[in-house]
Amino acid sequence: MSSDMTRRGFLGTVGATALAASTGQAVPADADRPKSGSLKILGIACSPRPGKTTTAAVKVALEAAKAVGPAIETELVELAGLNIPVFDPAAPGSADFEKVASKLTDPKVAGILVGTPVYFGSMSSLCKAFLDHCMALRNKNFALANKVAGVVAVGGMRNGGQELTIQTVQAALLAQEMILVGDGRPTAHRGATLWNQGDDISKDEIGLATARNLGRRVAEVALALRGPA
Ligand SMILES: Cc1cc2nc3c(=O)[nH]c(=O)nc-3n(C[C@H](O)[C@H](O)[C@H](O)COP(=O)(O)O)c2cc1C
């Protein structure tokens, strides 16, 4: 096995136990645990409106990820205001995308949460532009491979196309060889599906539960794949 694969430690001792934790099984010895802050979950909010409902939902998921254990640190990146234009294969560069890409490819980043508003039953154009620019990372020897990914979708209707939106984002992430997860138990479906009611997600208890369960699940699986630091 290559050292890279060893580092990822597929279903290593800690990982298996991290997953087992939610089912009440044994907890690993301290020596087997990843060190504090050794692993990062990055949240990418792909709404053109900074600080609004997509960002709020990604923050909820990141908080739940962080709560999984001291090994986990989190960071939020908002694409709003960045210059990430429609992807043009003939002129692929974007200085702002490069800044986000350097965060994504940080070896410490073991999991990524992609949040998008629902625009006509699909992702925002900003999210699509971002994911298209990620072609550069696929071309760079699949730089995102084996990082864990979960998707957050926020719509203005309870059933406005959140699940469909999640699947379109997942399709792009699967093409990066990322490891896709949905929201964990007890909701356990495709990802975080939130309902924006007047620029507010705080009353959507079911949606908030899916965001928390997704964040937790991304962190647990990321820990599982990394094994001891
Ligand atoms: C162009 C456009 C299309 C939209 N289409 C949908 C839709 O199909 N389904 C839905 O539930 N909400 C739709 N919405 C509402 C947004 O998804 C919702 O307001 C979302 O919370 C916005 O995210 P933000 O607060 O992060 O900007 C649409 C909004 C816009 C601007």
Side-chain angles (χ1 to χ4, degrees):
M1 189 181 280
S2 71
S3 60
D4 194 34
M5 287 296 283
T6 306
R7 181 177 58 75
R8 287 178 188 133
F10 271 88
L11 294 178
T13 309
V14 170
T17 313
L19 283 177
S22 57
T23 59
Q25 293 176 20
V27 174
D30 282 351
D32 291 336
R33 289 182 178 155
K35 292 180 186 62
S36 182
S38 63
L39 185 158
K40 187 186 276 188
I41 307 297
L42 196 62
I44 310 285
C46 304
S47 170
R49 302 197 307 157
K52 296 297 186 179
T53 61
T54 304
T55 297
V58 172
K59 278 184 180 169
V60 169
L62 286 174
E63 278 161 23
K66 196 174 170 64
V68 165
I72 310 279
E73 67 179 55
T74 59
E75 184 179 348
L76 171 73
V77 174
E78 290 189 285
L79 300 189
L82 300 186
N83 181 20
I84 301 180
V86 170
F87 181 71
D88 177 359
S94 154
D96 281 351
F97 173 75
E98 288 302 325
K99 285 181 208 152
V100 180
S102 68
K103 288 181 185 287
L104 288 166
T105 55
D106 179 347
K108 199 171 173 182
V109 170
I112 294 168
L113 287 154
V114 178
T116 179
V118 180
Y119 280 6
F120 295 130
S122 189
M123 68 185 90
S124 66
S125 44
L126 179 57
C127 187
K128 186 68 166 73
F130 162 68
L131 292 173
D132 288 347
H133 277 274
C134 286
M135 175 60 92
L137 304 180
R138 192 174 188 270
N139 290 339
K140 221 179 260 177
N141 198 26
F142 287 83
L144 299 178
N146 295 329
K147 293 181 193 273
V148 180
V151 184
V152 176
V154 187
M157 291 287 289
R158 173 63 269 176
N159 301 107
Q162 286 87 340
E163 289 190 324
L164 189 58
T165 299
I166 287 170
Q167 283 179 278
T168 61
V169 175
Q170 285 175 333
L173 302 178
L174 283 168
Q176 300 281 354
E177 282 196 341
M178 297 191 77
I179 297 171
L180 274 297
V181 299
D183 49 317
R185 300 173 207 177
T187 51
H189 284 90
R190 286 170 181 75
T193 52
L194 291 106
W195 177 16
N196 168 11
Q197 299 164 84
D199 274 351
D200 181 15
I201 56 167
S202 68
K203 293 180 196 70
D204 180 19
E205 288 181 19
I206 295 171
L208 289 169
T210 63
R212 286 191 289 268
N213 294 339
L214 179 72
R216 191 194 69 238
R217 177 88 181 134
V218 166
E220 285 177 349
V221 176
L223 267 177
L225 298 181
R226 283 295 168 102

